[in-house]
């Protein structure tokens, strides 16, 4: 099969679509267009090793430059696609994408992988210098520029990225305060058991965590941030917390500009796809953070997942769909978050659980939480416990069970408890 | 630049110059060597970068860390005494000439 495939978005998913097209023998033209200055790179280290100075730009790149040339993948950087026109449905007319610079790209089939963008903080002082977000390498460099000299860091948002940055800052000896509006950390992703452990663990490492906190404003001097002021009730009301850096990590929203332009079904910008990664226009596939997909383990409902695993697995399905290979997307969602010396590994989706089983010991900072609904294994949070993590991931992969009543005995290895699921 | 040779499960052999400090996994993936999946990009979180290290380099590569050791128990292919997660092996001049056999199954 030949023809021209255009991929808009040179990130984790976009790169994987191109690689899979070639792996599957597609011999036509493949072009990836991205708006950043670099080819596809890894984002996870930006809030971890990169801040700690343990990695550089070259070690972040997902493939060496010559790889794209060798594979005849055209990689275009620094171009933002602002408009896309498709040919008449059913005709062989080419589509055309136009970049902000005026440059155009013709294509026969299209993939969009625009990723997501940090949710902005709508508050007085949010535009001061030193109020930073973290999505791209450029963002990470802006953060690093202030990093060494900064003594006080305030993190707004107790989610994965905020807590990873907080941990890196504590390791670097800074004074760190995490401000969270909810009543617990990482509330969207983990149970209160895991939240409470992380709360304590960050405090033991010297980070101050303020829950149920409302911000009054961000305070500055001469255009630069000097601190934040809390509002609301309680002891913290009106408190001023000094800051040289305010890191805002309050979640991301899908980059929905193109979906809107193309009239694709979307919910708050998140592009709705089916299990083949097809959008509401069957000529267009989409993958990654920007996508709302059917539950990847076949349960009810749709989910939007912000993870490397999802971007990669969905991209593989999308690439196959583009060249006529029908393969349903089915993958165990998994995720990791390194917060200093605490390694959190999650497999499965715990939403809707009605029972949890805890293994190991929180005191030794090595434990796991298994989630069940109606006695059926849903997911695991594993803290510094790769063995339990792998066992659950394998069980979910093969549709097997680990009975809850047996899993509670930590002296028994989980992998010996895996039993095939009765129909 | 330290040189490294990979034996892929499909029988191909690839020799590359590694950048000092890059891992055995990174060097392979960036250059398109087949067989190493590396789903987590080197965070020691996926166990899909499993290799068998040539015995001649046992001392030079040292012992796996605790976390890596645990992760190695979950590899898809058989764990052998010379099994390592290649993302945890950083290249340096002492590893010049290293050869690794990529595990036949990663996922
Ligand atoms: C700091 C940080 C830490 C993370 N840590 C983890 C982790 O530990 N584990 C984990 O699993 N996941 C982690 N993630 C999430 C993971 O990186 C994302 O889920 C993944 O990158 C999503 O891939 P994607 O291809 O959808 O989007 P991206 O990788 O963001 O790629 C999208 C690209 O498209 C570009 N683009 C958008 N619109 C246009 C346009 N109109 N024209 C041209 N280009 C465009 C964007 O600029 C971007 O370069 C982290 C993310 C961040 C930011
Ligand atoms: S790349 Fe994931 S464990 Fe090595």
């Amino acid at each position: 099969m030949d023809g021209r495939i255009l991929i808009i978005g040179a990130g984790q998913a976009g790169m994987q679509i191109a690689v899979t097209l070639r792996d599957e023998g597609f011999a036509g033209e493949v072009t990836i267009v991205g708006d950043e200055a670099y080819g596809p790179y890894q984002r996870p280290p930006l809030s971890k090793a990169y801040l700690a100075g343990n990695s550089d730009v070259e070690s972040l790149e997902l493939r060496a430059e010559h790889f794209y040339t060798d594979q005849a993948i055209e990689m275009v950087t620094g171009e933002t696609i602002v408009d896309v026109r498709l040919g008449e449905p059913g005709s062989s007319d080419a589509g055309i994408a136009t970049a902000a610079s005026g440059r155009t790209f013709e294509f026969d089939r299209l993939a969009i992988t625009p990723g997501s963008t940090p949710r902005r903080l709508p508050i007085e002082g949010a535009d001061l210098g030193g109020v930073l977000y973290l999505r791209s390498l450029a963002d990470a460099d802006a953060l690093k520029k202030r990093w060494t000299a900064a003594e006080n860091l305030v993190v707004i948002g107790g989610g994965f990225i905020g807590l990873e940055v907080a941990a890196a800052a504590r390791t670097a000896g800074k004074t760190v305060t995490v401000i969270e509006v909810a009543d617990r950390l990482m509330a969207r992703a983990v149970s209160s058991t895991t939240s409470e452990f992380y709360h304590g663990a960050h405090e033991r490492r010297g980070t101050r965590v303020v829950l149920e906190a409302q911000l009054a404003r961000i305070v500055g001097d001469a255009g630069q941030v000097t601190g934040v002021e809390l509002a609301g009730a309680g002891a913290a009301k009106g408190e001023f917390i000094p800051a040289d850096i305010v890191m805002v990590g309050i979640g991301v929203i899908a980059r929905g500009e193109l979906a809107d332009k193309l009239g694709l079904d979307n919910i708050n910008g998140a592009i709705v796809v089916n299990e083949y990664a097809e959008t509401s226009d069957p000529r267009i596939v989409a993958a990654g953070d920007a996508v709302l997909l059917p539950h990847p383990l076949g349960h009810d409902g749709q989910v939007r997942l912000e993870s490397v695993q999802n971007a990669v697995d969905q991209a593989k399905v999308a690439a196959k769909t583009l060249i006529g290979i029908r393969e349903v997307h089915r993958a165990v969602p998994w995720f990791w978050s390194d917060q200093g010396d605490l390694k959190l590994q999650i497999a499965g989706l715990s939403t809707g659980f009605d029972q949890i089983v805890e293994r190991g010991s929180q005191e030794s900072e090595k434990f796991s939480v298994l989630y069940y609904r109606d006695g059926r294994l849903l997911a695991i949070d594993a803290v510094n416990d790769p063995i339990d993590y792998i066992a659950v991931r394998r069980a979910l992969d093969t549709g097997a069970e680990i009975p809850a009543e047996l899993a509670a005995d930590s002296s028994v290895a989980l992998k010996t408890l895996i039993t095939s699921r009765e129909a | 630049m330290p040189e490294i040779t990979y034996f892929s499960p499909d029988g191909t052999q690839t020799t590359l110059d590694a950048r000092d400090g890059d891992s055995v996994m990174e060097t392979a993936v960036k250059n398109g060597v087949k067989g190493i999946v590396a789903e987590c990009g080197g965070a020691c979180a996926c166990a899909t970068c499993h290799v068998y290290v040539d015995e001649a380099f046992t001392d030079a590569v040292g012992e796996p860390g605790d976390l890596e050791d645990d992760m190695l128990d979950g590899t898809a292919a058989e764990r052998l005494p010379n099994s390592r997660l290649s993302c945890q092996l950083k290249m340096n001049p002492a590893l010049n000439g290293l050869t690794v056999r990529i595990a036949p199954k990663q996922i």
Side-chain angles (χ1 to χ4, degrees):
Chain A
M1 187 182 283
D2 54 8
R4 296 159 298 177
I5 292 180
L6 178 68
I7 302 163
I8 304 176
Q12 190 85 50
M15 186 229 39
Q16 187 62 50
I17 290 179
V19 169
T20 303
L21 286 171
R22 289 293 182 240
D23 282 351
E24 294 293 330
F26 176 70
E29 288 175 26
V30 177
T31 304
I32 311 182
V33 185
D35 58 2
E36 294 186 63
Y38 313 89
Y41 58 87
Q42 302 192 56
R43 291 177 204 280
L46 297 180
S47 50
K48 310 174 183 88
Y50 195 68
L51 283 183
N54 293 336
S55 74
D56 59 11
V57 174
E58 214 180 308
S59 67
L60 294 179
E61 68 183 13
L62 282 162
R63 293 289 185 279
E65 248 179 79
H66 74 83
F67 173 87
Y68 300 105
T69 333
D70 295 350
Q71 296 281 318
I73 294 166
E74 192 190 357
M75 176 67 65
V76 181
T77 53
E79 295 278 6
T80 312
I81 300 297
V82 290
D83 197 21
V84 185
R85 268 168 230 283
L86 292 166
E88 284 299 310
S91 83
S92 58
D93 294 356
I96 297 182
T98 309
S101 67
R103 189 167 164 191
T104 56
F105 301 87
E106 284 196 20
F107 60 87
D108 301 306
R109 270 156 296 163
L110 181 65
I112 50 179
T113 56
S116 55
T117 183
R119 189 185 300 283
R120 299 278 145 176
L121 191 66
I123 195 177
E124 183 189 335
D127 51 0
L128 287 164
V131 178
L132 303 173
Y133 296 82
L134 185 52
R135 178 72 196 174
S136 64
L137 193 43
D139 294 339
D141 285 334
L143 178 56
K144 265 187 108 159
K145 219 165 141 193
R146 292 183 172 251
W147 187 256
T148 322
E151 284 169 15
N152 299 305
L153 189 103
V154 168
V155 172
I156 300 177
F160 294 121
I161 290 182
L163 292 173
E164 287 175 4
V165 173
R170 266 313 294 154
T171 308
K174 304 180 192 311
T175 302
V176 184
T177 311
V178 174
I179 293 172
E180 168 59 54
V181 65
D183 61 357
R184 60 189 183 89
L185 298 175
M186 302 179 285
R188 233 165 32 90
V190 299
S191 66
S192 51
T193 309
T194 309
S195 288
E196 275 154 28
F197 166 78
Y198 269 86
H199 186 168
H202 279 284
E203 285 184 340
R204 285 195 291 282
R205 286 160 178 75
T207 291
R208 179 176 169 210
V209 179
V210 188
L211 297 177
E212 296 180 271
Q214 296 284 346
L215 274 182
R217 61 193 183 109
I218 302 179
V219 184
D221 181 29
Q224 298 300 312
V225 68
T226 54
V228 305
E229 193 183 299
L230 297 180
K237 180 175 162 64
E239 185 186 341
F240 175 80
I241 306 170
D244 316 300
I245 296 175
V246 172
M247 235 300 297
V248 185
I250 53 172
V252 298
I253 52 173
R255 283 185 65 169
E257 309 97 285
L258 290 174
D260 270 344
K261 273 244 148 69
L262 285 158
L264 302 177
D265 285 356
N266 69 85
I267 295 176
N268 297 328
I271 308 161
V272 178
V273 300
N274 64 14
E275 60 271 56
Y276 300 104
E278 284 169 327
T279 66
S280 54
D281 185 324
R283 294 169 294 180
I284 307 174
V285 297
D289 277 15
V291 159
L292 197 63
L293 70 155
H295 192 294
L297 289 178
H299 302 194
D300 287 343
Q302 294 167 308
V303 288
R304 195 171 71 77
L305 298 170
E306 298 154 13
S307 71
V308 169
Q309 170 274 323
N310 175 62
V312 170
D313 284 336
Q314 229 199 347
K316 289 179 182 167
V317 172
K320 289 179 186 172
T321 296
L322 281 173
I323 52 174
I325 304 172
R326 300 298 275 179
E327 191 175 290
V328 171
H329 177 76
R330 207 194 124 87
V332 176
W334 61 268
F335 182 81
W336 80 96
S337 170
D338 292 334
Q339 301 174 20
D341 56 351
L342 299 171
K343 181 175 221 72
L344 174 63
Q345 291 170 288
I346 299 177
L349 297 176
S350 58
T351 337
F353 70 91
D354 57 22
Q355 184 189 1
I356 64 172
V357 171
E358 209 182 313
R359 290 169 54 85
S361 93
Q362 291 198 13
E363 294 69 50
S364 65
E365 303 197 326
K366 185 176 162 103
F367 72 102
S368 63
V369 180
L370 276 65
Y371 297 84
Y372 292 86
R373 182 170 65 216
D374 299 330
R376 228 175 121 175
L377 179 65
L378 292 180
I380 183 171
D381 301 337
V383 178
N384 291 334
D385 195 348
I387 295 185
D388 278 7
Y389 164 73
I390 297 244
V392 170
R393 204 179 139 185
R394 291 241 184 281
L396 293 171
D397 240 340
T398 52
E401 278 299 339
I402 298 178
E405 61 284 5
L406 301 178
D409 182 355
S410 303
S411 67
V412 181
L414 277 187
K415 69 175 172 193
T416 65
L417 301 175
I418 299 177
T419 54
S420 65
R421 182 176 283 169
E422 281 121 74
Chain B
M1 294 212 272
E3 205 179 79
I4 171 166
T5 300
Y6 300 86
F7 291 93
S8 289
D10 67 0
T12 53
Q13 178 181 344
T14 318
T15 299
L16 295 169
D17 284 328
R19 192 169 70 117
D20 209 12
D22 270 4
S23 70
V24 171
M25 177 282 284
E26 282 165 337
T27 309
V29 170
K30 283 187 191 181
N31 292 289
V33 173
K34 299 265 185 247
I36 294 182
V37 179
E39 290 181 310
C40 74
C44 199
C46 70
T48 65
C49 62
H50 181 197
V51 299
Y52 303 110
V53 174
D54 179 0
E55 319 279 349
F57 287 85
T58 308
D59 288 343
V61 298
E63 295 284 314
D66 287 350
L67 212 64
E68 182 188 346
D69 193 42
D70 283 355
M71 287 295 290
L72 277 166
D73 273 348
T75 53
E78 188 190 1
R79 177 178 184 173
L80 299 175
N82 59 340
S83 281
R84 291 298 302 266
L85 294 179
S86 55
C87 66
Q88 303 301 306
L89 298 173
K90 298 267 182 243
M91 287 306 284
N92 64 62
L95 293 182
N96 187 29
L98 178 71
T99 65
V100 298
R101 200 154 51 80
I102 299 173
K105 195 167 179 291
Q106 298 286 3
I107 299 177

Short mmCIF file of all heavy atoms in Angstrom, two decimals, chain B residues 57-99:
data_model
loop_
_atom_site.label_atom_id
_atom_site.label_comp_id
_atom_site.label_asym_id
_atom_site.label_seq_id
_atom_site.Cartn_x
_atom_site.Cartn_y
_atom_site.Cartn_z
N PHE B 57 31.88 -9.74 30.76
CA PHE B 57 31.68 -8.39 31.30
C PHE B 57 30.94 -8.39 32.63
O PHE B 57 30.52 -7.35 33.12
CB PHE B 57 30.92 -7.52 30.28
CG PHE B 57 31.79 -7.12 29.12
CD1 PHE B 57 31.93 -7.97 28.03
CD2 PHE B 57 32.47 -5.92 29.13
CE1 PHE B 57 32.75 -7.63 26.97
CE2 PHE B 57 33.29 -5.57 28.07
CZ PHE B 57 33.44 -6.42 26.98
N THR B 58 30.80 -9.58 33.24
CA THR B 58 30.06 -9.69 34.49
C THR B 58 30.58 -8.70 35.53
O THR B 58 29.80 -7.97 36.15
CB THR B 58 30.17 -11.13 35.04
OG1 THR B 58 29.79 -12.02 34.00
CG2 THR B 58 29.25 -11.33 36.23
N ASP B 59 31.89 -8.67 35.72
CA ASP B 59 32.45 -7.77 36.73
C ASP B 59 32.28 -6.31 36.32
O ASP B 59 31.93 -5.47 37.13
CB ASP B 59 33.93 -8.07 36.96
CG ASP B 59 34.10 -9.38 37.72
OD1 ASP B 59 33.10 -9.83 38.32
OD2 ASP B 59 35.22 -9.94 37.70
N ALA B 60 32.54 -6.04 35.05
CA ALA B 60 32.50 -4.65 34.58
C ALA B 60 31.12 -4.03 34.73
O ALA B 60 30.99 -2.84 35.03
CB ALA B 60 32.97 -4.57 33.13
N VAL B 61 30.06 -4.83 34.54
CA VAL B 61 28.71 -4.23 34.65
C VAL B 61 28.21 -4.19 36.10
O VAL B 61 27.30 -3.43 36.42
CB VAL B 61 27.65 -4.94 33.77
CG1 VAL B 61 27.99 -4.83 32.30
CG2 VAL B 61 27.45 -6.38 34.18
N GLY B 62 28.78 -5.01 36.96
CA GLY B 62 28.37 -4.98 38.37
C GLY B 62 27.03 -5.68 38.60
O GLY B 62 26.50 -6.36 37.73
N GLU B 63 26.50 -5.49 39.82
CA GLU B 63 25.26 -6.15 40.23
C GLU B 63 24.05 -5.27 39.95
O GLU B 63 24.15 -4.06 40.05
CB GLU B 63 25.30 -6.40 41.75
CG GLU B 63 26.38 -7.36 42.20
CD GLU B 63 26.00 -8.79 41.89
OE1 GLU B 63 24.85 -9.17 42.19
OE2 GLU B 63 26.85 -9.52 41.35
N PRO B 64 22.89 -5.88 39.67
CA PRO B 64 21.67 -5.05 39.55
C PRO B 64 21.29 -4.44 40.89
O PRO B 64 21.55 -5.03 41.95
CB PRO B 64 20.60 -6.05 39.09
CG PRO B 64 21.13 -7.40 39.34
CD PRO B 64 22.63 -7.30 39.42
N GLY B 65 20.67 -3.27 40.87
CA GLY B 65 20.15 -2.66 42.09
C GLY B 65 18.93 -3.42 42.59
O GLY B 65 18.41 -4.30 41.89
N ASP B 66 18.42 -3.10 43.79
CA ASP B 66 17.29 -3.83 44.38
C ASP B 66 16.05 -3.80 43.49
O ASP B 66 15.41 -4.81 43.25
CB ASP B 66 16.91 -3.22 45.74
CG ASP B 66 17.94 -3.57 46.81
OD1 ASP B 66 18.81 -4.43 46.54
OD2 ASP B 66 17.87 -2.97 47.90
N LEU B 67 15.72 -2.59 43.02
CA LEU B 67 14.52 -2.43 42.21
C LEU B 67 14.63 -3.21 40.91
O LEU B 67 13.71 -3.90 40.48
CB LEU B 67 14.33 -0.94 41.92
CG LEU B 67 12.91 -0.44 41.80
CD1 LEU B 67 12.17 -0.59 43.12
CD2 LEU B 67 12.92 1.03 41.40
N GLU B 68 15.82 -3.10 40.28
CA GLU B 68 16.04 -3.82 39.03
C GLU B 68 15.95 -5.32 39.28
O GLU B 68 15.35 -6.06 38.50
CB GLU B 68 17.42 -3.46 38.45
CG GLU B 68 17.69 -4.17 37.11
CD GLU B 68 19.11 -4.00 36.60
OE1 GLU B 68 19.84 -3.13 37.13
OE2 GLU B 68 19.50 -4.74 35.69
N ASP B 69 16.53 -5.76 40.39
CA ASP B 69 16.50 -7.17 40.74
C ASP B 69 15.05 -7.67 40.83
O ASP B 69 14.70 -8.71 40.29
CB ASP B 69 17.22 -7.35 42.08
CG ASP B 69 17.51 -8.80 42.37
OD1 ASP B 69 17.92 -9.52 41.44
OD2 ASP B 69 17.28 -9.22 43.52
N ASP B 70 14.19 -6.88 41.51
CA ASP B 70 12.78 -7.25 41.61
C ASP B 70 12.10 -7.26 40.23
O ASP B 70 11.34 -8.17 39.91
CB ASP B 70 12.03 -6.25 42.52
CG ASP B 70 12.32 -6.51 43.99
OD1 ASP B 70 13.01 -7.50 44.30
OD2 ASP B 70 11.86 -5.71 44.82
N MET B 71 12.40 -6.22 39.45
CA MET B 71 11.77 -6.15 38.12
C MET B 71 12.18 -7.34 37.25
O MET B 71 11.40 -7.84 36.45
CB MET B 71 12.16 -4.85 37.41
CG MET B 71 11.51 -3.59 37.97
SD MET B 71 9.72 -3.54 37.78
CE MET B 71 9.56 -3.34 36.01
N LEU B 72 13.43 -7.77 37.40
CA LEU B 72 13.93 -8.89 36.59
C LEU B 72 13.14 -10.16 36.84
O LEU B 72 13.05 -11.03 35.97
CB LEU B 72 15.42 -9.11 36.87
CG LEU B 72 16.39 -8.21 36.09
CD1 LEU B 72 17.78 -8.29 36.68
CD2 LEU B 72 16.41 -8.58 34.61
N ASP B 73 12.54 -10.27 38.03
CA ASP B 73 11.71 -11.44 38.31
C ASP B 73 10.46 -11.48 37.46
O ASP B 73 9.79 -12.50 37.38
CB ASP B 73 11.31 -11.47 39.80
CG ASP B 73 12.37 -12.16 40.63
OD1 ASP B 73 13.26 -12.80 40.03
OD2 ASP B 73 12.31 -12.06 41.87
N GLY B 74 10.15 -10.35 36.85
CA GLY B 74 8.92 -10.30 36.06
C GLY B 74 9.15 -10.24 34.57
O GLY B 74 8.25 -9.90 33.81
N THR B 75 10.34 -10.56 34.11
CA THR B 75 10.59 -10.49 32.67
C THR B 75 9.80 -11.58 31.94
O THR B 75 9.52 -12.64 32.50
CB THR B 75 12.09 -10.68 32.35
OG1 THR B 75 12.53 -11.88 32.99
CG2 THR B 75 12.89 -9.50 32.85
N ALA B 76 9.48 -11.30 30.68
CA ALA B 76 8.68 -12.26 29.91
C ALA B 76 9.50 -13.48 29.52
O ALA B 76 9.00 -14.60 29.52
CB ALA B 76 8.11 -11.57 28.68
N ALA B 77 10.78 -13.28 29.19
CA ALA B 77 11.65 -14.40 28.86
C ALA B 77 12.35 -14.86 30.14
O ALA B 77 12.42 -14.12 31.12
CB ALA B 77 12.67 -13.99 27.81
N GLU B 78 12.90 -16.06 30.09
CA GLU B 78 13.53 -16.64 31.27
C GLU B 78 14.62 -15.74 31.85
O GLU B 78 15.43 -15.17 31.11
CB GLU B 78 14.14 -17.99 30.90
CG GLU B 78 14.66 -18.76 32.10
CD GLU B 78 15.49 -19.98 31.69
OE1 GLU B 78 15.67 -20.21 30.48
OE2 GLU B 78 15.94 -20.70 32.59
N ARG B 79 14.64 -15.63 33.17
CA ARG B 79 15.71 -14.89 33.82
C ARG B 79 16.90 -15.82 34.02
O ARG B 79 16.76 -16.92 34.56
CB ARG B 79 15.24 -14.37 35.18
CG ARG B 79 16.35 -13.66 35.90
CD ARG B 79 15.95 -13.07 37.23
NE ARG B 79 17.09 -12.32 37.76
CZ ARG B 79 17.05 -11.58 38.83
NH1 ARG B 79 15.94 -11.44 39.52
NH2 ARG B 79 18.14 -10.94 39.24
N LEU B 80 18.08 -15.36 33.59
CA LEU B 80 19.30 -16.15 33.76
C LEU B 80 20.25 -15.36 34.67
O LEU B 80 20.02 -14.18 34.93
CB LEU B 80 19.95 -16.38 32.39
CG LEU B 80 19.10 -17.16 31.37
CD1 LEU B 80 19.80 -17.23 30.02
CD2 LEU B 80 18.81 -18.56 31.90
N PRO B 81 21.33 -16.01 35.14
CA PRO B 81 22.25 -15.27 36.04
C PRO B 81 22.81 -14.00 35.39
O PRO B 81 23.13 -13.05 36.10
CB PRO B 81 23.36 -16.29 36.28
CG PRO B 81 22.74 -17.62 36.03
CD PRO B 81 21.69 -17.41 34.99
N ASN B 82 22.92 -13.98 34.06
CA ASN B 82 23.47 -12.79 33.40
C ASN B 82 22.37 -11.88 32.84
O ASN B 82 22.63 -11.04 31.99
CB ASN B 82 24.45 -13.20 32.30
CG ASN B 82 23.79 -14.08 31.23
OD1 ASN B 82 22.76 -14.69 31.48
ND2 ASN B 82 24.40 -14.13 30.05
N SER B 83 21.15 -12.03 33.34
CA SER B 83 20.05 -11.16 32.91
C SER B 83 20.22 -9.75 33.48
O SER B 83 20.55 -9.59 34.65
CB SER B 83 18.71 -11.69 33.42
OG SER B 83 18.26 -12.75 32.62
N ARG B 84 19.96 -8.75 32.66
CA ARG B 84 19.94 -7.36 33.16
C ARG B 84 18.87 -6.58 32.41
O ARG B 84 18.45 -6.95 31.31
CB ARG B 84 21.30 -6.67 32.92
CG ARG B 84 22.45 -7.20 33.76
CD ARG B 84 22.26 -7.01 35.25
NE ARG B 84 22.08 -5.61 35.64
CZ ARG B 84 23.07 -4.81 36.04
NH1 ARG B 84 24.30 -5.25 36.09
NH2 ARG B 84 22.80 -3.56 36.40
N LEU B 85 18.42 -5.48 33.03
CA LEU B 85 17.58 -4.54 32.32
C LEU B 85 18.54 -3.53 31.68
O LEU B 85 19.29 -2.85 32.38
CB LEU B 85 16.60 -3.86 33.27
CG LEU B 85 15.56 -4.80 33.88
CD1 LEU B 85 14.64 -4.05 34.85
CD2 LEU B 85 14.74 -5.51 32.81
N SER B 86 18.51 -3.48 30.35
CA SER B 86 19.55 -2.71 29.66
C SER B 86 19.45 -1.21 29.90
O SER B 86 20.40 -0.48 29.67
CB SER B 86 19.52 -3.02 28.16
OG SER B 86 18.25 -2.77 27.62
N CYS B 87 18.29 -0.75 30.41
CA CYS B 87 18.20 0.70 30.71
C CYS B 87 19.01 1.05 31.94
O CYS B 87 19.27 2.23 32.21
CB CYS B 87 16.75 1.14 30.87
SG CYS B 87 15.90 0.43 32.29
N GLN B 88 19.38 0.03 32.73
CA GLN B 88 20.13 0.31 33.95
C GLN B 88 21.64 0.15 33.73
O GLN B 88 22.42 0.30 34.68
CB GLN B 88 19.65 -0.59 35.09
CG GLN B 88 18.14 -0.46 35.38
CD GLN B 88 17.74 0.96 35.75
OE1 GLN B 88 18.31 1.56 36.66
NE2 GLN B 88 16.78 1.52 35.02
N LEU B 89 22.04 -0.15 32.50
CA LEU B 89 23.47 -0.30 32.20
C LEU B 89 23.96 0.94 31.45
O LEU B 89 23.66 1.11 30.27
CB LEU B 89 23.70 -1.54 31.33
CG LEU B 89 23.31 -2.89 31.93
CD1 LEU B 89 23.43 -3.99 30.87
CD2 LEU B 89 24.18 -3.21 33.13
N LYS B 90 24.68 1.79 32.13
CA LYS B 90 25.18 3.01 31.49
C LYS B 90 26.54 2.72 30.84
O LYS B 90 27.41 2.13 31.47
CB LYS B 90 25.36 4.13 32.53
CG LYS B 90 24.06 4.52 33.21
CD LYS B 90 23.39 5.68 32.51
CE LYS B 90 22.11 6.12 33.21
NZ LYS B 90 20.90 5.96 32.42
N MET B 91 26.69 3.15 29.62
CA MET B 91 27.94 2.89 28.91
C MET B 91 29.06 3.79 29.43
O MET B 91 28.84 4.96 29.74
CB MET B 91 27.76 3.11 27.41
CG MET B 91 26.94 2.02 26.73
SD MET B 91 27.58 0.35 27.03
CE MET B 91 29.00 0.33 25.93
N ASN B 92 30.24 3.21 29.55
CA ASN B 92 31.44 3.97 29.92
C ASN B 92 32.63 3.26 29.29
O ASN B 92 32.49 2.14 28.79
CB ASN B 92 31.55 4.07 31.45
CG ASN B 92 31.73 2.71 32.09
OD1 ASN B 92 32.72 2.02 31.83
ND2 ASN B 92 30.77 2.28 32.89
N PRO B 93 33.79 3.90 29.28
CA PRO B 93 34.93 3.31 28.56
C PRO B 93 35.26 1.89 29.00
O PRO B 93 35.68 1.06 28.18
CB PRO B 93 36.07 4.27 28.90
CG PRO B 93 35.40 5.57 29.17
CD PRO B 93 34.09 5.23 29.81
N ALA B 94 35.02 1.55 30.28
CA ALA B 94 35.33 0.19 30.75
C ALA B 94 34.45 -0.86 30.08
O ALA B 94 34.76 -2.05 30.11
CB ALA B 94 35.17 0.12 32.27
N LEU B 95 33.33 -0.43 29.48
CA LEU B 95 32.43 -1.39 28.83
C LEU B 95 32.67 -1.46 27.32
O LEU B 95 31.87 -2.06 26.59
CB LEU B 95 30.97 -1.02 29.12
CG LEU B 95 30.51 -1.16 30.57
CD1 LEU B 95 29.03 -0.82 30.70
CD2 LEU B 95 30.75 -2.57 31.08
N ASN B 96 33.73 -0.85 26.85
CA ASN B 96 34.04 -0.90 25.43
C ASN B 96 34.12 -2.35 24.97
O ASN B 96 34.80 -3.17 25.60
CB ASN B 96 35.37 -0.18 25.16
CG ASN B 96 35.65 -0.07 23.67
OD1 ASN B 96 34.73 -0.02 22.86
ND2 ASN B 96 36.93 -0.07 23.31
N GLY B 97 33.40 -2.68 23.90
CA GLY B 97 33.43 -4.05 23.38
C GLY B 97 32.35 -4.94 23.97
O GLY B 97 32.28 -6.13 23.66
N LEU B 98 31.50 -4.39 24.81
CA LEU B 98 30.41 -5.15 25.44
C LEU B 98 29.53 -5.82 24.38
O LEU B 98 29.23 -5.23 23.36
CB LEU B 98 29.54 -4.19 26.27
CG LEU B 98 28.31 -4.77 26.96
CD1 LEU B 98 28.72 -5.67 28.13
CD2 LEU B 98 27.40 -3.67 27.49
N THR B 99 29.17 -7.07 24.64
CA THR B 99 28.17 -7.69 23.78
C THR B 99 27.01 -8.18 24.63
O THR B 99 27.19 -8.66 25.75
CB THR B 99 28.73 -8.89 22.96
OG1 THR B 99 29.09 -9.92 23.86
CG2 THR B 99 29.90 -8.51 22.11
#
